[in-house]
Amino acid sequence: MEKFSSYRDAGTGIQPFLTPLPPAGSEILVQATLPIRYALAAVRTALLLVLLLAYVLIVRVALLIFLPISPVYDLLVHLNTAILGRSALFILGLVWIPVDYITKKRKSALKTEVPWNPKAGDIIVSNWVSWIELIWLAIRFNPIFVLPVPASEASTAQKLPTPSSNASPIAYTPGRRTGTGSANIQQAARSASARIPVAGFRQVSLLQMITSTGRVPYIAGPSDQLKTIEDIRKKARQPIVVFPESTTSNGRGLLRFANVFNMSVPVKGFDVFVMCVRYDPPTAFVPSLAHSIPSRFLNPLLHLTSLTAAPSLLSISIRLLALSDSPSSQLFMANEYVSGTPGEDQLTESCATLISQIGKLKQTGMGWEDKASLLQLYWGKKR
């Protein structure tokens, strides 16, 4: 993957886009268990497709008769989504999903559960790594999912200047550092693209959100009705989930957040709940649960089938920040998280720092605009 090495973040050295690969090792056992894993994948995938069909028929069709009675409709949708979604994660191999409640005051996970109950109109802010956390969020909160809509295409984004023109350029040197032959090949790190403003938001269903996993935002079409977060929040009957990264990373670092809020902190009138999701690195038998490179067709079916072939249990970690430490707390110390520069989106920057801290993830300078460029190169190489 040397051809993608220029998409390594210059500040941290992290490649935040490509799917993580398992460490190199003996392939004998892997090849010997292929028949068993193929059979396991066939059975699990079939069961998951049955659950998907049941979700569409029950939640998206049958329950519409209760739509005029909003409280009943929301309750039944949440109940059926929770049952079907938890069954799907169980079949996938996620038998137990640990949830840690983090407080900045103690700088550790709490032994006891703290209040983390988003209400209608509250906002949940999280990093985005896979479609799996979408199902977890739907099970737990039955939220409204939104996708940011950029003001222009990613191809129009300007390159940011090098952080320091006096310093020697940061380069990625594959292979041994012997200085001869192929080891002397150097590729300069690609300059990150500038942020593209967010024109508004598109409200989407759970299934639409899942199929959007890994993809980058696209500009609004003639029939799209864009809304602001405040417009959606005022009419919401459930909490709203916002992924400021606007696309998925591979879980090794935090992508640069788009300016999705344009609000100062602490916010008033609603609560902001901050969470972070982490996945274990892949092994010879368990592929990465991160879904950073989407499939061209039936996304993310190929990723799902690769996970169903895993003969061991999968692992996910959810970390929830205590509400008393969130940007909606009136005791929130804004000067610890924002620089105070004019035009700064304080809520976005605060959430980025908090997610980085509770998830122990490094913040990179690369955003969805850079991933759009990588995907163009990636699909070009596939042709």
Side-chain angles (χ1 to χ4, degrees):
M1 289 294 179
E2 291 182 7
K3 56 181 173 289
F4 300 113
S5 60
S6 62
Y7 288 88
R8 188 175 292 268
D9 179 57
T12 62
I14 294 173
Q15 214 301 355
F17 301 127
L18 296 180
T19 303
L21 298 176
S26 174
E27 296 292 326
I28 298 177
L29 189 57
V30 175
Q31 295 296 326
T33 57
L34 273 179
I36 298 175
R37 291 191 287 126
Y38 282 153
L40 188 62
V43 173
R44 281 177 165 177
T45 302
L47 291 174
L48 289 172
L49 292 177
V50 169
L51 289 177
L52 173 61
L53 179 61
Y55 175 83
V56 172
L57 294 177
I58 297 173
V59 177
R60 307 297 297 174
V61 178
L63 292 182
L64 290 178
I65 61 174
F66 296 100
L67 191 56
I69 313 173
S70 298
V72 176
Y73 174 76
D74 294 339
L75 177 62
L76 292 177
V77 167
H78 193 182
L79 177 62
N80 284 273
T81 300
I83 294 173
L84 295 172
R86 193 62 189 92
S87 300
L89 294 184
F90 184 86
I91 292 171
L92 196 60
L94 289 161
V95 176
W96 174 252
I97 301 177
V99 177
D100 294 325
Y101 296 87
I102 309 296
T103 175
K104 297 297 296 177
K105 295 181 176 66
R106 302 181 185 180
K107 300 185 183 298
S108 62
L110 294 172
K111 299 287 185 181
T112 58
E113 184 173 329
V114 297
W116 222 88
N117 301 306
K119 303 294 192 302
D122 289 340
I123 294 179
I124 301 172
V125 184
S126 175
N127 64 321
W128 192 7
V129 183
S130 181
W131 46 272
I132 295 174
E133 62 259 30
L134 302 178
I135 299 177
W136 182 86
L137 284 163
I139 293 169
R140 187 77 177 262
F141 306 112
N142 188 34
I144 295 171
F145 291 102
V146 296
L147 287 172
V149 179
S152 60
E153 296 283 2
S155 58
T156 64
Q158 301 295 317
K159 302 300 178 196
L160 293 175
T162 305
S164 175
S165 57
N166 297 325
S168 59
I170 299 174
Y172 169 55
T173 309
R176 301 182 304 277
R177 298 178 182 270
T178 59
T180 61
S182 63
N184 197 35
I185 299 173
Q186 291 190 342
Q187 291 179 277
R190 180 180 181 274
S191 297
S193 301
R195 282 189 178 101
I196 292 179
V198 175
F201 290 86
R202 182 184 294 110
Q203 189 171 327
V204 296
S205 67
L206 172 61
L207 293 181
Q208 289 174 314
M209 197 72 188
I210 290 175
T211 58
S212 298
T213 304
R215 304 188 188 280
V216 295
Y218 56 91
I219 61 174
S223 60
D224 287 333
Q225 296 182 350
L226 302 186
K227 301 177 181 178
T228 66
I229 281 289
E230 189 62 19
D231 291 337
I232 298 173
R233 197 190 65 77
K234 287 180 178 179
K235 298 179 181 179
R237 301 198 304 264
Q238 298 94 19
I240 304 162
V241 173
V242 179
F243 297 104
E245 290 172 293
S246 306
T247 186
T248 52
S249 71
N250 59 13
R252 288 179 171 170
L254 202 62
L255 300 185
R256 182 186 64 204
F257 281 18
N259 289 332
V260 293
F261 295 116
N262 294 309
M263 299 180 186
S264 59
V265 291
V267 299
K268 297 180 180 180
F270 61 95
D271 287 328
V272 177
F273 293 81
V274 179
M275 63 170 275
C276 180
V277 59
R278 294 292 305 266
Y279 293 101
D280 287 349
T283 66
F285 291 100
V286 180
S288 174
L289 275 70
H291 186 56
S292 54
I293 303 297
S295 307
R296 281 190 167 183
F297 305 103
L298 299 177
N299 185 58
L301 183 59
L302 289 179
H303 184 237
L304 182 146
T305 53
S306 69
L307 296 180
T308 56
S312 58
L313 298 179
L314 307 181
S315 177
I316 178 178
S317 173
I318 305 290
R319 299 176 182 181
L320 308 179
L321 180 68
L323 187 58
S324 59
D325 295 318
S326 88
S328 58
S329 170
Q330 298 309 302
L331 299 179
F332 186 77
M333 302 296 293
N335 58 351
E336 296 181 7
Y337 302 94
V338 298
S339 61
T341 56
E344 182 182 23
D345 186 346
Q346 294 187 357
L347 180 54
T348 294
E349 294 302 324
S350 298
C351 289
T353 303
L354 289 168
I355 292 173
S356 173
Q357 291 176 350
I358 66 174
K360 298 180 180 178
L361 292 169
K362 290 183 178 180
Q363 297 184 64
T364 70
M366 309 193 89
W368 71 265
E369 301 88 349
D370 300 289
K371 184 177 179 179
S373 175
L374 178 137
L375 289 177
Q376 288 182 348
L377 176 62
Y378 183 87
W379 294 124
K381 296 290 184 182
K382 287 285 185 178
R383 293 193 182 101

